[in-house]
Amino acid sequence: MSRARKSASDEPELSAYQRAMRNRLLAAPVVPPPEPWQSVGFAPVGGLLGIGFASHPDSGHDLVMVVSHDGHGLFDAVTGEKVARDRDPDPEGSTPDDAADLSCPGLGPIAGSRVHIAGLFGGGLHTTTADGWALEVVTPAWPNDRVLLSRDGGLPHAGPHGERWWHIFHSDYSELRAAGFSPSGDTIAVATSSDLSLWARAQDGDDSRDATR
């Protein structure tokens, strides 16, 4: 005997608690991240496929590698500057789906290494830092993703918006590809199919991280 196909009307309705949480997320406007985070760059990147992090071998700065239909790019996450560009990478390995570990060959100061790429083909970035920051991607109004930064342990974010949690990015114009911290915890990167946004805190050994604890 075949099973009856489940209809949409059979799906359970949201509970009062779930509705309240969804409404709280929908009502939160986009705001800048709090100190010590600072916006360091916004770059249009048409056909963006994914991003990955590396470390500059000389300065130690976080670097963000961008893979797109138009080639590869590398950004300094402290200055926001584009430090390398390859418009015509070797077709073999030019996109992360060519490698079992979703990596691509580095360029510029990280040539000769490989960078794990998160985005269209899978993979992921760090969602927490050692000193208590967290990033979450939520979709209270599908298909538009929202990126939340917090210091309250994550959802359900019972406290007021703007005090311990912040809605820092709303992907209501392009498809979200990846969002996360660098391994150092000093950079936030959010990539969509059309652009890259970067925020950073000091990476020169000062005490800005301690001030947030």
Side-chain angles (χ1 to χ4, degrees), residues 101-122:
D101 61 354
L102 296 176
S103 68
C104 284
L107 68 161
I110 57 170
S113 65
R114 296 191 67 85
V115 179
H116 296 284
I117 303 297
L120 181 63
F121 301 108

Side-chain angles (χ1 to χ4, degrees), residues 4-16:
R5 180 168 297 177
K6 198 172 186 179
S7 67
S9 62
D10 295 325
E11 294 293 334
E13 294 184 0
L14 295 178
S15 67

Side-chain angles (χ1 to χ4, degrees), residues 8-87:
S9 62
D10 295 325
E11 294 293 334
E13 294 184 0
L14 295 178
S15 67
Y17 170 80
Q18 290 170 323
R19 286 196 301 272
M21 182 167 63
R22 178 177 182 270
N23 290 338
R24 188 164 64 250
L25 296 175
L26 289 172
V30 175
V31 295
E35 293 184 353
W37 298 101
Q38 299 290 332
S39 174
V40 295
F42 173 85
V45 184
L48 190 152
L49 301 175
I51 60 172
F53 284 105
S55 180
H56 197 292
D58 297 324
S59 67
H61 286 186
D62 286 339
L63 300 174
V64 181
M65 181 173 171
V66 177
V67 176
S68 76
H69 288 301
D70 293 328
H72 297 169
L74 193 68
F75 292 83
D76 186 313
V78 174
T79 65
E81 176 189 6
K82 184 186 292 184
V83 296
R85 180 77 165 93
D86 186 352
R87 295 184 180 276

